[in-house]
Amino acid sequence: MGIEGAAAKAEVAAASGPPGKERRKLSFEAASRVLLHRFLDEWVWPRWRQLLVSLVLTACLAAATGAYPLIIKSSFDLLLNNKDSTLLPWVLGAIVSITALRSIFLYLHTVTTARIVSRITTDIQKRIFAHLMHADFARLSRDPPGRLMSRMTNDVTFLDAAMQASINSAVRDSLSIAVLVASMFYLDWAMSLIVLGVYPLAAVPIMTVSKRLRRVAKRTQKELGGVTTELAEKLSSARLIKTFRLEDHAAERVNRSFEEVFRLRMRTVRTRARLDPMLEAFGGLAVAGVIAFAYWRITSGISTVGDFMGFITALLMASQPIRALGNLTGRVQEGLAAAENMYAILDEKPTIVDRADAKPINITRGDIRFDDVSFAYAAQEQGHAVRDIALDVAGGTTVAFVGRSGAGKSTLVNLVPRLFDVSKGAILIDGQDIRDITLASLRDSVSIVSQDVTLFDDTIRANIALGRLSASDDEIVAAAKAAAAHDYIVTQPNGYDTEIGDRGLRLSGGQRQRLALARAILKNAPILLLDEATSALDTQSEKLVHAALERFTKGRTTLVIAHRLSTVQNADLICVLDHGRLIETGRHGDLVAQGGIYGELVRSQLLQDGASS
């Protein structure tokens, strides 16, 4: 449940309460509590053993901290009252020992808490990434990659800072303050009451500032996501930017985002900067009151100089953790804003999942039947992307889908591996509705080769092996040979172990396409989907890829999306789509003779080819 759901529950609970501003306040605070409790239950309490170790170290640190002002008191009383210089080494040794002991406990506590927090943030990043990898394809397509990257980096940084502050302040500093306050009461209860009467007055402005920080933090985190998106977009478009001389334009666009983040960060700094001066001012009032009161008590003989020095030491030592506690609410609000973004992702449930009775697919022939299939994207306002598609694809045949841009070709093919689910009708493979079979077995049975080749910044061997991770080196080489890729691979600096760079940019377009084909060949799935697989290749590369495809598609059910109609003339069946509907079906020669849409497309491409030559 995200904070919106928590807010809704809180509003229901507050329905009988006061109207207006107070009701909204209750709703916000209740939602924050629900979000905080959920985060603690899921991420913090399961690590109670590590937290217990941290708590023990905190107690030791607090004990050493509380003992320090008592040693200062004893030191002054012994040295001033006894006038015995032989006590000086013991006094100095006690001070050095307690500070050294406190330093050791502080180091151990810092390392322990940092390990707990880093483990939590790492696990959060791992869960978000795994969740996104298992999310619907439609969900991944909804947000730009940069925004999702920001959720796993920038937002988690806010969470990390909030948890560090919480563990250090809510536990270590609170316990240190408690021990120091106990020492102060032991030394002088009357002066302690003066201090405790002043500091709580700072609570009201601190809470007001913290709420402002929450709002600014949400806007900052959103803007950071936009900056990450802009950077990823511009850096991946370097070729276009260079050739169109758009360097200044791109820099101006990104600079605007940088400036907005700068403005929001400065707003955060100004808002947060109000906390320390407020606490400093209240601290000054407390110290002034203590000095005035202490002067009267010492001159009256009620207290000693040692009492006063020990009390002032405790008060000064408590000032830093008190300021940390004052800043804690701001950090927590920033962390809650990040947690809200995190749960907005984690609470999204995939809709394309296995049914309870799903079974592994059983492919015998590889027949594919589109049974009155319709599909509309969730955000699409104008009708269906594909409508009322009825088509039988015989196993082992090659069927090509052609048509103008936006006709629904890619959408129809994407329905086969259930990247999307049909809105109406059904898709059956060998008589099995693909919604009744497991996603794992379905996608194991399908290979995709598209125009936009996806390669990773790794070796050639590793990129081919993605087709089947358990494949041996001999099988990888055999797949590369079948894809006409082996000859150029062995000429690379390190052969199959050559690093190909981000998205394979160190290879030519034809080389990348043959690597993608080798990966599909290695997978050896009975159903092959080709989405404009050769449209961006030069003539020589296209011939090599076509020859490899001709060998690979024999006896395999193949669905081809083609823009260049010359590449599908030998298809067993050509299907013409227009505005999401199946308009014509037949062989190349028959469709040309009919003089319909396919004939117009062929003549149009022939004219274009003639003009270009």
Side-chain angles (χ1 to χ4, degrees):
M1 183 195 311
I3 194 167
E4 295 84 356
K9 285 189 173 181
E11 286 174 1
V12 172
S16 58
K21 186 176 180 180
E22 289 300 319
R23 180 172 172 178
R24 289 194 299 273
K25 177 181 177 182
L26 178 61
S27 172
F28 177 85
E29 291 176 350
S32 297
R33 285 196 300 271
V34 170
L35 184 61
L36 180 59
H37 289 162
R38 179 181 178 185
F39 184 84
L40 291 174
D41 288 342
E42 291 186 20
W43 299 101
V44 179
W45 300 140
R47 294 167 175 81
W48 65 268
R49 291 181 179 84
Q50 298 97 306
L51 290 170
L52 184 61
V53 173
S54 176
L55 184 60
V56 170
L57 292 171
T58 302
C60 295
L61 176 61
T65 302
Y68 190 77
L70 300 181
I71 291 177
I72 294 295
K73 167 195 160 43
S74 301
S75 301
F76 272 88
D77 285 344
L78 286 171
L79 293 175
L80 293 177
N81 294 334
N82 296 321
K83 310 291 186 180
D84 185 357
S85 60
T86 60
L87 295 174
L88 183 61
W90 293 99
V91 169
L92 297 180
I95 294 174
V96 171
S97 298
I98 197 66
T99 52
L101 193 62
R102 186 174 181 274
S103 299
I104 292 171
F105 286 133
L106 181 61
Y107 169 79
L108 294 174
H109 179 269
T110 301
V111 172
T112 303
T113 55
R115 181 178 180 83
I116 295 171
V117 171
S118 296
R119 183 74 269 163
I120 291 174
T121 53
T122 299
D123 289 347
I124 287 173
Q125 289 174 317
K126 289 160 66 176
R127 185 184 293 186
I128 292 175
F129 184 76
H131 181 84
L132 288 173
M133 289 298 96
H134 290 88
D136 292 340
F137 181 70
R139 192 269 169 268
L140 294 172
S141 305
R142 191 176 71 228
D143 286 334
R147 192 170 299 281
L148 297 176
M149 289 164 54
S150 180
R151 291 288 177 265
M152 287 183 282
T153 53
N154 297 324
D155 286 4
V156 170
T157 300
F158 280 97
L159 274 173
D160 185 286
M163 285 189 288
Q164 290 278 11
S166 297
I167 293 178
N168 289 335
S169 296
V171 181
R172 185 186 71 192
D173 292 338
S174 295
L175 196 54
S176 295
I177 291 171
V179 173
L180 288 169
V181 168
S183 298
M184 290 162 60
F185 269 94
Y186 172 77
L187 294 168
D188 196 317
W189 63 269
M191 286 193 293
S192 300
L193 290 177
I194 293 176
V195 173
L196 295 179
V198 174
Y199 266 112
L201 297 177
V204 174
I206 286 173
M207 293 304 297
T208 303
V209 170
S210 297
K211 288 183 179 178
R212 291 179 183 174
L213 277 173
R214 171 76 166 272
R215 293 192 293 268
V216 177
K218 285 195 67 174
R219 291 188 58 189
T220 303
Q221 290 161 17
K222 181 179 180 181
E223 195 62 34
L224 283 171
V227 169
T228 309
T229 299
E230 285 270 6
L231 288 173
E233 183 180 72
K234 297 300 183 291
L235 291 174
S236 63
S237 306
R239 182 180 181 185
L240 173 71
I241 289 172
K242 289 290 184 185
T243 53
F244 279 77
R245 294 197 305 110
L246 296 173
E247 294 91 342
D248 293 339
H249 172 75
E252 182 182 348
R253 290 284 300 272
V254 173
N255 287 345
R256 282 204 296 268
S257 297
F258 282 143
E259 286 296 327
E260 180 62 18
V261 171
F262 170 77
R263 187 185 69 80
L264 290 170
R265 280 178 170 165
M266 287 308 301
R267 186 175 171 186
T268 301
V269 169
R270 286 193 297 271
T271 303
R272 189 184 293 145
R274 299 173 189 173
L275 295 173
D276 276 341
M278 283 189 294
L279 293 168
E280 197 74 32
F282 282 109
L285 288 175
V287 171
V290 165
I291 291 175
F293 191 61
Y295 175 78
W296 172 76
R297 288 171 68 83
I298 292 173
T299 56
S300 302
I302 300 173
S303 297
T304 66
V305 173
D307 291 333
F308 174 68
M309 294 305 298
F311 189 90
I312 287 296
T313 301
L315 181 60
L316 293 177
M317 290 184 71
S319 63
Q320 190 279 329
I322 287 174
R323 280 200 298 270
L325 276 179
N327 286 304
L328 173 62
T329 52
R331 290 288 188 187
V332 168
Q333 292 300 329
E334 291 175 337
L336 286 175
E340 182 180 348
N341 292 334
M342 174 190 76
Y343 281 121
I345 292 177
L346 294 178
D347 287 344
E348 289 183 328
K349 303 299 182 185
T351 57
I352 300 178
V353 295
D354 288 338
R355 289 178 173 173
D357 57 348
K359 299 178 180 178
I361 193 170
N362 180 26
I363 295 183
T364 53
R365 289 171 42 83
D367 297 339
I368 302 176
R369 183 180 182 188
F370 296 88
D371 187 6
D372 198 25
V373 168
S374 297
F375 173 77
Y377 292 100
Q380 192 171 11
E381 297 179 359
Q382 312 238 337
H384 289 72
V386 294
R387 182 187 296 275
D388 303 326
I389 302 295
L391 176 68
D392 288 320
V393 178
T397 62
T398 297
V399 174
F401 295 99
V402 302
R404 300 180 179 89
S405 296
K409 305 182 296 293
S410 294
T411 299
L412 186 62
V413 169
N414 284 335
L415 293 174
V416 175
R418 289 189 71 192
L419 295 180
F420 305 99
D421 261 344
V422 298
S423 305
K424 177 189 148 187
I427 298 176
L428 298 94
I429 297 177
D430 283 339
Q432 304 158 92
D433 190 324
I434 60 174
R435 291 168 296 187
D436 294 330
I437 58 182
T438 61
L439 276 170
S441 64
L442 171 64
R443 291 175 181 172
D444 282 344
S445 304
V446 177
S447 288
I448 299 179
V449 181
S450 65
Q451 174 184 354
D452 299 323
V453 177
T454 300
L455 296 174
F456 298 98
D457 189 4
D458 207 332
T459 64
I460 290 175
R461 184 190 315 278
N463 273 278
I464 296 176
L466 293 174
R468 183 157 44 89
L469 295 176
S470 61
S472 65
D473 287 347
D474 290 341
E475 290 172 321
I476 291 172
V477 171
K481 289 180 177 178
H486 177 75
D487 289 344
Y488 86 78
I489 291 175
V490 295
T491 65
Q492 298 297 310
N494 296 309
Y496 281 84
D497 294 318
T498 301
E499 300 276 348
I500 62 175
D502 181 36
R503 291 170 293 145
L505 291 180
R506 294 175 190 161
L507 303 177
S508 69
Q511 290 172 337
R512 292 197 296 269
Q513 197 72 57
R514 279 176 274 169
L515 270 193
L517 180 56
R519 187 164 58 201
I521 291 173
L522 183 64
K523 187 175 183 181
N524 197 30
I527 297 172
L528 178 64
L529 309 179
L530 302 176
D531 188 353
E532 305 271 12
T534 61
S535 61
L537 300 181
D538 59 82
T539 304
Q540 182 62 29
S541 296
E542 185 179 6
K543 286 181 180 178
L544 290 171
V545 172
H546 267 299
L549 281 173
E550 188 173 348
R551 294 190 298 270
F552 182 51
T553 56
K554 283 183 179 178
R556 199 179 306 271
T557 307
T558 307
L559 305 183
V560 183
I561 297 173
H563 175 70
R564 291 158 67 173
L565 302 182
S566 60
T567 62
V568 297
Q569 291 183 7
N570 296 324
D572 298 300
L573 183 68
I574 296 173
C575 301
V576 183
L577 296 175
D578 188 51
H579 293 94
R581 293 184 179 274
L582 186 58
I583 303 299
E584 301 172 356
T585 59
R587 299 293 295 266
H588 172 76
D590 297 333
L591 291 175
V592 170
Q594 288 179 15
I597 291 178
Y598 184 79
E600 292 177 9
L601 292 172
V602 171
R603 286 191 293 273
S604 175
Q605 288 196 9
L606 287 174
L607 289 173
Q608 290 174 6
D609 293 342
S612 62
S613 62

